Each structure stands twice: as C-alpha cells, then as structure tokens.
C-alpha cells in the first residue's frame, strides 16, 4: 500500500484520465503542477497511452484561461 496526499491523488487521476493537463500552480497545490510536469518530462503515458503534457499557467486568472485551452 502506498500513502499519498490529496494533491498527489488528484493530479494522478487527472493526469491518467485527461488529454491535456491545465494546472495553475498556487500554494498549496503547487505539487500538482510539479508532478504533472515531472511525469510528462519522463514520458509517462495516460490511460490511453499518450502524454497529456502540461499547460502551466501563471496565476489564478490565467488558470481560468487554461480551462478553455484547445491545444
């Protein structure tokens, strides 16, 4: 059994189940963006065998724009 915190659990599910990850790193959720970026850089695939990548945003307002990013 592995114990993880809520941020890691959330980003793990989001990374595995989405085609694109739009995350704006604000404390205390910064670890979510860091993990998604780390997994993407390592080429870790999602549930469909692709790399969802990361679309980092610069703050809360920019994070709202990331929610409609149609990359």
């Amino acid at each position: 059994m592995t114990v993880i915190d809520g941020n890691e659990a959330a980003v793990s599910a989001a990374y595995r189940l989405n085609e694109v990850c739009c995350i704006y790193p604000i404390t205390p959720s910064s670890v979510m963006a860091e993990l998604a970026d780390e997994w993407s850089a390592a080429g870790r695939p999602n549930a469909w065998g692709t790399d969802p990548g990361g679309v980092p945003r610069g703050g809360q307002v920019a994070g709202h724009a990331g929610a409609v990013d149609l990359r």
Side-chain angles (χ1 to χ4, degrees):
M1 177 166 65
T2 302
V3 177
I4 58 177
D5 67 10
N7 284 329
E8 187 171 349
V11 74
S12 178
Y15 189 89
R16 291 182 210 192
L17 300 175
N18 288 288
E19 294 181 21
V20 176
C21 291
C22 297
I23 301 170
Y24 53 97
I26 58 171
T27 306
S29 64
S30 296
V31 70
M32 294 172 68
E34 293 168 3
L35 286 171
D37 188 44
E38 180 182 313
W39 297 336
S40 181
R44 180 178 175 177
N46 63 9
W48 295 274
T50 60
D51 176 6
V55 182
R57 299 295 176 197
Q60 290 180 348
V61 174
H64 296 292
V68 294
D69 189 339
L70 301 174
R71 181 165 66 137

